[in-house]
Amino acid sequence: MRVFRHLLRRKLAVVAVIVLLVAQAACDLALPRYTSDIVDIGIQQSGVEHVTCEEMTATTHEQISSSLSEPERQLFEASYDEDAEGRLWRLNDAGRARIGELDALLAPVLVAIHADAGATHADAVAAGMGEREGLLAGLDEAASDSLLRQRAIAATIAEYEQTGYDLTGMQMSYLVRTGAVMAAIALAGMLIAILVGFVASRTGARIGRDLREQLFARVVAFSEREIVSFSAASLITRGTNDIQLIQNVSIMFMRMVLFAPILAIGGIVMVMATSVELGWIVVVAIGVVFAVVGVLFRLTLPRFKIVQGLIDRVNLVAREILTGMPVVRAFDRQAFEEARFDDASARLMRTQLFTNRAMAFMMPTMMLVMNLTSVAIVWFGGWAVEAGSLQTGDLIAFITYAMVIIMGGLAIGMISIMLPRANVAAERVDAVLACEPSVVDSSAPDAATGSAGCVERTRGARIQFDDVSFCYDEAGECEDVLTHVSFAVEPGETLAIIGGTGSGKSTVLKLIERFYDATEGSVLVDGIDVRRWRQADLRSQLGYVPQRAFLFSGDIRSNVAYANEALSDAAVAEAIDVAQAADFVGSTEEGVLSPIAQGGTNVSGGQRQRLAIARAVAADARALLLDDAFSALDLKTDADLRRALRAHLDGVTCVIVAQRIATVMDADTIVVLDDGRVVGSGTHDELMEGCPEYRAIALSQLSADDLARGGEAA
């Protein structure tokens, strides 16, 4: 799955988590064993751990000694010392060192000696059997080694009672000691779990951070073609919701998915060590768990592939409504937009309801499996306890281990429900990361375009279109927006582009900025094809004002000095003055520190345009590209601004896209576009005489007298 690729880049963290999880599993699996010991040894056996008695009566010592072979007698007698009174024999250090051998040696003998006292535990021992071999044969036929040990422990307890040994003290000592060990193990498990959570969370956060950085860097490198193909709403969803989902699943994978098989394998080993005959119950339970998970996985996977697209749709509709709220209110379309949003939201809700119901179905099913498993273990385990082949504590431990195994399957089941959605999210993020920008720097850019070591340039830039055709569809199947467009503007000159709506005027500036690459022909700056320029070097030569003036959240100064944060206050003030924005900036209390909302929504359209122009002027570029940048200005401000630009930007090339004749008529060259083709080029007077399209536009805006006066009356 794609979601796991990001984890593989953090191999060291994953290995560390696995090591910690193994240690945590060891702690978790040790506790049921100690619980079993508390029940079996601490409670049922009064704290007696070994068959070998700490002390025994002289009579018992003599009976045991007489029933052993010579080598066994030597081991036994070397393990006990007689007390001063000659009444008791006490286990010495040599005996404690070989206590395992003594347990196996003394078990059948003690059972035979205390047959009467422990009759309920030694029914299989033939009455009156005096020979040790006969006793052992009888026991082998009647019970397992576990039953023999239980009988032997009962005989040991009986021996302690005869000697007057402090069994209560032994029991409390065992319970306190075992409880302390369990507390230490539980504390160690808790600390390890905290460390695992810390490492997993930190790793997941880093995965999210890296993906966001990579995604943002790739999106910033995209041309407008890629932005449009993915859509801004989808890119926002991929950079937020999708990456957050990948991050969460990565954390859950390290904390749960890796832990579940480790715990389950350890639980299986412990189950088989506790009782092989009940192991089939666990196998059946695991089979049911994975069957349920498989069915749910098959049902929900197609839905998860739809969910992310529906989230994109909700974000898209919400952004459109919020951005276009004035239009919505102006046309009283609130009810329509609410219905449109409700439809998108309801479709997402219905899909998520299906997946959530599937997850809701899984939990009670798993709990039913767990409870039925517990009942089956108690039922069949009870028979084993009655037969003496299984102790009560072992039965409790078996139930605990079985639950551990099933919970491991449950954890995998729960994460498997999230994995398909996370995998879809990873595919969506990877699709963005794998998408190569259509506009990239040349592998061998022209040396003359670099800022270092280049030839000295004039203040203005020469811009030329050489038989340029362009289509927005990268497959080239749509109709050209520009067709065989050719023109040139010399350094320091002003070129104006005018034409009807959709004639391709704004596209010309986008090709100069290299937001797109020409489909045919070439765009040249200083005689060099823009595709051979480094994008950063090219755009550092250009000051650009888009058709829809956009301001960033911050203040007026930060927006004007956007190209150079170190710009002096004097340079900022000069740019504002040239853009005819000094009056409204000076009228605010904070001046250039006046706050600007996101998108510049707290200033008027004209103010927003003037600040955008000031930003371009402050960039100190060699060419200024103005895309209908005067449309929100009144004619007087328009004229004042153009005069200020000519005075301040002497020698700077200026390309103006405009709708107003008054804005372009004093340009050195005017290019007239009609349906993507150049239908006229020249000065205002030349076009009025020789270009019908230009004359029609001019006369639709100004009278003949106004045109004769240069548009001043207008």
Side-chain angles (χ1 to χ4, degrees):
M1 283 189 157
R2 290 178 180 267
V3 70
F4 296 143
R5 291 183 183 178
H6 307 294
L7 272 174
L8 293 178
R9 298 180 184 135
R10 302 283 176 178
K11 296 184 180 69
L12 186 60
V14 173
V15 171
V17 166
I18 291 174
V19 172
L20 291 171
L21 289 177
V22 170
Q24 184 182 351
C27 293
D28 292 348
L29 293 172
L31 291 174
R33 186 74 265 167
Y34 281 100
T35 302
S36 173
D37 289 343
I38 285 178
V39 174
D40 290 339
I41 300 174
I43 298 175
Q44 291 185 336
Q45 298 175 191
S46 301
V48 177
E49 298 181 70
H50 298 284
V51 173
T52 303
C53 301
E54 286 290 326
E55 60 182 39
M56 64 178 62
T57 63
T59 302
T60 302
H61 184 275
E62 183 179 352
Q63 288 176 331
I64 294 174
S65 182
S66 63
S67 65
L68 299 176
S69 64
E70 185 59 30
E72 293 172 340
R73 184 183 301 112
Q74 291 178 2
L75 170 62
F76 172 68
E77 292 180 351
S79 300
Y80 281 87
D81 296 330
E82 187 178 14
D83 67 352
E85 298 176 0
R87 187 177 67 86
L88 298 175
W89 289 80
R90 291 188 173 89
L91 187 67
N92 56 32
D93 292 339
R96 291 189 181 88
R98 305 182 69 175
I99 199 165
E101 296 179 49
L102 288 173
D103 283 349
L105 177 65
L106 298 180
V109 181
L110 282 171
V111 170
I113 291 172
H114 290 275
D116 292 336
T120 56
H121 299 287
D123 294 335
V125 181
M129 185 179 294
E131 297 293 332
R132 177 170 176 267
E133 290 77 6
L135 173 65
L136 290 173
L139 286 171
D140 287 340
E141 293 173 0
S144 64
D145 291 341
S146 175
L147 183 57
L148 173 61
R149 179 175 176 81
Q150 293 177 48
R151 292 173 176 173
I153 290 292
T156 301
I157 294 173
E159 182 65 25
Y160 279 136
E161 290 172 348
Q162 289 183 8
T163 62
Y165 193 84
D166 184 11
L167 281 174
T168 302
M170 176 183 282
Q171 184 178 40
M172 290 305 299
S173 175
Y174 179 82
L175 291 174
V176 170
R177 185 172 67 253
T178 306
V181 173
M182 291 182 68
I185 292 174
L187 178 61
M190 180 189 71
L191 294 176
I192 293 172
I194 292 173
L195 188 57
V196 168
F198 174 79
V199 175
S201 299
R202 188 176 181 85
T203 303
R206 286 180 173 177
I207 289 173
R209 177 202 64 189
D210 292 347
L211 281 177
R212 280 187 288 271
E213 287 180 354
Q214 294 169 22
L215 190 74
F216 187 76
R218 179 51 57 95
V219 170
V220 169
F222 280 165
S223 69
E224 291 192 16
R225 190 189 303 276
E226 287 77 41
I227 299 292
V228 171
S229 66
F230 282 108
S231 85
S234 180
L235 288 173
I236 291 172
T237 303
R238 295 174 199 231
T240 53
N241 181 274
D242 289 359
I243 291 179
Q244 187 64 41
L245 186 58
I246 294 170
Q247 177 177 327
N248 292 340
V249 169
S250 298
I251 295 172
M252 293 182 66
F253 179 83
M254 285 185 283
R255 298 190 63 179
M256 296 175 60
V257 178
L258 290 178
F259 189 46
I262 294 172
L263 200 60
I265 292 171
I268 291 171
V269 172
M270 299 301 292
V271 158
M272 294 306 168
T274 303
S275 176
V276 177
E277 60 186 283
L278 298 180
W280 66 270
I281 300 175
V282 178
V283 173
V284 172
I286 293 175
V288 173
V289 167
F290 280 101
V292 172
V293 170
V295 171
L296 293 178
F297 188 88
R298 187 174 183 85
L299 289 175
T300 56
L301 180 59
R303 302 279 181 165
F304 281 123
K305 292 182 178 180
I306 299 172
V307 166
Q308 299 306 109
L310 293 177
I311 293 175
D312 286 348
R313 177 63 183 171
V314 170
N315 286 341
L316 174 65
V317 174
R319 289 181 74 248
E320 283 185 346
I321 294 174
L322 294 175
T323 304
M325 186 59 72
V327 178
V328 173
R329 290 172 176 166
F331 288 90
D332 194 25
R333 297 288 283 174
Q334 290 95 324
F336 171 79
E337 294 299 340
E338 287 175 6
R340 191 162 71 102
F341 181 81
D342 184 64
D343 176 66
S345 180
R347 291 174 62 190
L348 175 61
M349 178 199 69
R350 287 192 294 269
T351 306
Q352 289 181 328
L353 273 179
F354 180 87
T355 56
N356 291 340
R357 284 168 180 163
M359 295 181 68
F361 171 79
M362 182 178 67
M363 183 57 70
T365 303
M366 295 301 181
M367 294 304 298
L368 178 63
V369 171
M370 291 175 63
N371 291 331
L372 290 177
T373 302
S374 299
V375 171
I377 292 173
V378 172
W379 176 265
F380 292 101
W383 291 104
V385 171
E386 184 178 2
S389 60
L390 187 68
Q391 296 193 68
T392 305
D394 289 337
L395 178 60
I396 295 173
F398 190 92
I399 295 174
T400 305
Y401 288 131
M403 293 303 102
V404 165
I405 296 171
I406 296 173
M407 287 300 294
L410 177 61
I412 294 176
M414 291 180 65
I415 195 69
S416 68
I417 296 297
M418 297 185 64
L419 277 177
R421 184 178 174 188
N423 193 54
V424 171
E427 289 176 353
R428 284 160 50 88
V429 172
D430 288 347
V432 177
L433 297 178
C435 179
E436 294 296 332
S438 57
V439 175
V440 295
D441 288 337
S442 171
S443 57
D446 195 298
T449 65
S451 57
C454 63
V455 295
E456 184 176 353
R457 297 193 179 98
T458 59
R459 175 165 168 73
R462 185 179 190 276
I463 299 173
Q464 179 182 356
F465 270 52
D466 185 9
D467 196 30
V468 172
S469 296
F470 175 74
C471 175
Y472 279 107
D473 186 350
E474 62 181 357
E477 297 177 356
C478 67
E479 185 177 351
D480 285 344
V481 176
L482 297 178
T483 305
H484 304 295
V485 172
S486 296
F487 63 80
V489 54
E490 299 299 328
E493 290 186 353
T494 296
L495 172 75
I497 302 174
I498 195 169
T501 301
S503 59
K505 304 184 298 296
S506 296
T507 302
V508 170
L509 298 191
K510 291 179 180 179
L511 291 178
I512 297 173
E513 280 279 354
R514 209 188 169 203
F515 294 156
Y516 296 94
D517 278 335
T519 306
E520 297 178 15
S522 56
V523 179
L524 300 97
V525 174
D526 290 340
I528 301 171
D529 194 315
V530 292
R531 286 168 287 203
R532 293 174 58 195
W533 281 78
R534 295 183 183 88
Q535 293 179 69
D537 292 335
L538 171 67
R539 290 164 186 161
S540 67
Q541 314 288 319
L542 308 173
Y544 178 61
V545 180
Q547 188 174 31
R548 182 174 178 269
F550 182 86
L551 300 179
F552 295 91
S553 58
D555 54 39
I556 292 176
R557 190 190 194 289
S558 66
N559 275 276
V560 174
Y562 186 71
N564 180 12
E565 295 180 359
L567 200 66
S568 66
D569 292 340
V572 170
E574 184 180 11
I576 291 174
D577 186 58
V578 170
Q580 306 301 299
D583 289 344
F584 87 82
V585 171
S587 65
T588 62
E589 294 182 5
E590 296 89 347
V592 293
L593 298 180
S594 297
I596 297 294
Q598 181 182 6
T601 55
N602 61 333
V603 294
S604 69
Q607 292 170 340
R608 194 159 52 244
Q609 277 192 338
R610 280 178 280 172
L611 290 178
I613 294 171
R615 178 172 59 199
V617 171
D620 194 26
R622 298 176 60 227
L624 197 61
L625 311 179
L626 306 176
D627 188 0
D628 207 9
F630 305 94
S631 59
L633 305 181
D634 60 83
L635 292 177
K636 180 180 183 304
T637 303
D638 181 341
D640 292 341
L641 179 54
R642 284 185 285 114
R643 280 194 294 269
L645 287 175
R646 282 195 299 270
H648 179 77
L649 302 179
D650 183 36
V652 174
T653 304
C654 190
V655 179
I656 301 174
V657 167
Q659 299 282 357
R660 294 175 181 168
I661 287 292
T663 301
V664 304
M665 60 191 305
D666 59 350
D668 297 307
T669 304
I670 303 173
V671 173
V672 184
L673 293 179
D674 183 27
D675 197 21
R677 298 176 181 273
V678 176
V679 294
S681 178
T683 63
H684 169 71
D685 293 336
E686 292 171 346
L687 291 173
M688 287 296 293
E689 293 181 5
C691 182
E693 291 83 359
Y694 181 82
R695 187 185 309 110
I697 295 172
L699 292 175
S700 68
Q701 297 180 22
L702 300 174
S703 66
D705 292 339
D706 291 335
L707 289 171
R709 289 192 296 268
E712 292 180 3

